[in-house]
Amino acid sequence: MKILAVDLGGTHATCALVEGRRILVRQTLALPGSPSLAATLEAIASSLEELHAGSPAQGIGFGFCGLVDSRRTRIASTNGKYTDAVDLDLAGWARERFGLPLRLENDARLALLGECFAGAAQGETDVVMFTLGTGIGGVAMIGGRLLRGKHDQAGVLGGHIPVNFAGRRCTCGAVGCAESEASGWSLPLVTRAWPGFASSALAARNIDFQNLFACATAGDAVSREIVDHCLRVWGAAAVAAVHSFDPELLVYGGGVMQRADLILPFLQDYLNAHAWTPWGKVRVRAAQLGNDAALLGAVPLFDQELPLVR
Ligand SMILES: [Zn+2]
């Protein structure tokens, strides 16, 4: 079975033709600040038409960066991006334009599905995946099924687990979310407010995780304190996820994981020390598929009968 996969993020979309566990061909489209999904769909359609003409597919699996009602195939809520998306009928669009059925899912859920199907979580049925990047994605699978809940937002807001009730205001409306305490977008805010920042090595650099880790490794005291803060934020979110979802495995992806050598051992030790799991130890592992995860997740999304275990 060949599937057309779409992974739509805030700044780019990737369209691909996927067969089984192989991505046959992919195209990445830059979407510089496009606020409208209706306008963006035209570029996506052109790419899909090209892929579809070369090798006909049987369906479209669509990953979207917002809250998704997958049962109704509708986008339920966006976080400042593509505000017209909630009014769009993507299934109707796919039917009219391509004569194909379309299944819709949140992009982070799709990435977890991909890692279970072809990556770091193959053979696992109880998994939480965190994506540490500009924001923090956190999605849960229990008993081999993606957790959805009545309003389709169960187990998909792991980045918005509050870790500090006296913390920073988050884009979601809460305060002290993992994302507002230690993610790509909140790092400059956290860093500039840190005591001693002005005289730290970090003050002379662009503030991102790469520079933060570099300054900390070079011995800068403030950078070391902030790295420790971030690790503890992620550790608190990990414990919260374990206590909420009862996983046996936590998978970590995202750009921040370039320092997996530092992050994974910390999180494993933190969970060993703080998670209440009398049955054993929750394992911590790096994601394997990178940006391909959501594309490969489109296959089991589309064919629910397909076993996730090889
Ligand atoms: Zn939040």
Side-chain angles (χ1 to χ4, degrees), residues 1 3 18-23 109-125 127 129 141 144 288-289 292-310:
M1 178 184 249
I3 298 293
V18 186
E19 183 174 34
R21 291 176 170 85
R22 282 193 310 144
I23 296 173
R109 276 205 191 110
L110 213 49
L112 171 55
L113 214 46
E115 290 289 345
C116 288
F117 180 54
Q122 281 188 68
E124 304 284 341
T125 53
V127 190
M129 180 170 171
M141 171 179 280
Q288 289 178 355
L289 302 176
D292 290 349
L295 299 173
L296 286 161
V299 178
L301 172 75
F302 208 85
D303 187 353
Q304 306 272 342
E305 300 305 309
L306 215 61
L308 288 172
V309 183
R310 260 190 225 271

Side-chain angles (χ1 to χ4, degrees), residues 150-180:
K150 182 171 183 180
H151 309 103
D152 239 305
Q153 60 184 85
V156 77
L157 293 177
H160 299 279
I161 290 173
V163 295
N164 178 5
F165 69 83
R168 281 169 192 288
R169 169 73 66 170
C170 185
T171 55
C172 73
V175 292
C177 295
E179 184 171 307
S180 62

